[in-house]
Amino acid sequence: MDHSNYEIDEMISAKTIAARVESLAAEISECFADTDKLVVVGLLRGSFVFIADLVRELDLPVEVDFLEASSYGNAMESSREVRILKDIRGEIEGRDVLVVEDIVDTGYTMHHVLHLLEARNPAKLRVCALLDKPSRRETDVKIDWTGFEIPDEFVVGYGIDYAQRNRNLPYIGKVRFVK
Ligand code: IMP
Ligand code: MG
C-alpha cells in the first residue's frame, strides 16, 4: 500500500484531552502530596505536549527531565529493541519519579525505561501514559494513570507523530490511508 496519502479523523478532541489532563493531574498531585520535589520524566519526543500541559496542572513542586528511547524500526511498527538515545540529567536515587509517556503500545519501551530507572533506586516510581492500546501489549507493564484506552489504531497529534509529522495537531486523530 502507498503510505504517503492519508487523512486524519478526529478521535479525541482538544477539549476532551484538556479535561482529562486536569483530572489526571488532580490524582497525581494527591498521590505525591508529601513529596518534596517530584521528578517528572518525559519520554521524548511524543510526550512533549502532554507533559507541558500536565505539569502546569500539578499542584506540586516539580523538576522536569527528559529521556529519549527509540524502539521504532520504521514509522508504524515497533522494532521491539529499545535503545536509550538520551538519558535523564538528574540523579533519582531516593527521589519520587513520575514517567510520562504518550502511548503504551507493545509495552517494550516502557518496560525497558522502568527497568533502567528502577536500578537507580528511586523512592517511588510511577507511570502516567496519555494513551494505552491494551490489545497490543506484549510485555507486562504497570501503568498507574492512563488518559484514554484506545483500540488498535495508528494515531497522531498532541505531540504524537507519523513519520515526524502531525505532532502539532491540537487533538488526537487516527490515520486513514487513502488511494
Ligand atoms: P511500544 O514500545 O510498542 O509500547 O511503543 C511505544 C512507542 O511507540 C510510543 O512512545 C510511541 O512513540 C510509539 N507509538 C505507538 N503507537 C503509536 C501510534 O499510534 N502513533 C504514533 N506513535 C506510536
Ligand atoms: Mg515514543
Side-chain angles (χ1 to χ4, degrees):
M1 186 171 25
D2 176 14
H3 279 188
S4 58
N5 203 8
Y6 63 94
E7 281 170 14
I8 298 166
D9 301 323
E10 185 173 295
M11 190 183 212
I12 309 171
S13 72
K15 210 174 148 190
T16 302
I17 297 169
R20 186 68 186 121
V21 169
E22 206 180 302
S23 63
L24 286 170
E27 287 178 33
I28 293 166
S29 298
E30 204 182 305
C31 174
F32 292 104
D34 298 331
T35 302
D36 185 38
K37 186 160 50 118
L38 176 67
V39 184
V40 181
V41 175
L43 303 196
L44 293 172
R45 285 173 258 181
S47 74
F48 83 105
V49 175
F50 180 40
I51 197 174
D53 283 347
L54 187 70
V55 296
R56 284 180 292 175
E57 296 287 343
L58 290 179
D59 194 12
L60 297 168
V62 297
E63 183 174 323
V64 176
D65 210 329
F66 292 98
L67 186 148
E68 184 170 15
S70 161
S71 71
Y72 262 40
N74 63 45
M76 291 189 97
E77 186 56 33
S78 170
S79 66
R80 291 164 182 77
E81 270 171 47
V82 183
R83 285 183 303 145
I84 301 298
L85 303 179
K86 182 214 168 294
D87 202 348
I88 53 172
R89 294 282 293 272
E91 302 281 339
I92 56 165
E93 184 167 357
R95 312 269 315 263
D96 284 354
V97 177
L98 176 70
V99 178
V100 176
E101 173 64 311
D102 56 352
I103 308 180
V104 180
D105 186 38
T106 63
Y108 284 106
T109 305
M110 190 53 77
H111 186 86
H112 189 91
V113 167
L114 290 178
H115 189 75
L116 178 86
L117 297 179
E118 193 67 71
R120 298 175 188 175
N121 299 313
K124 232 191 217 181
L125 182 61
R126 298 285 182 274
V127 176
C128 177
L130 177 66
L131 303 175
D132 184 9
K133 296 186 200 172
S135 67
R136 297 261 308 162
R137 198 73 88 254
E138 295 176 19
T139 59
D140 193 21
V141 284
K142 183 168 167 279
I143 308 172
D144 300 283
W145 294 278
T146 301
F148 304 92
E149 280 193 4
I150 60 167
D152 183 10
E153 300 279 1
F154 197 84
V155 296
V156 292
Y158 197 70
I160 301 161
D161 74 303
Y162 171 43
Q164 300 306 326
R165 295 183 67 166
N166 312 116
R167 290 192 197 272
N168 55 331
L169 286 177
Y171 57 87
I172 289 163
K174 68 179 192 194
V175 168
R176 177 169 44 86
F177 293 103
V178 291
K179 285 204 195 77

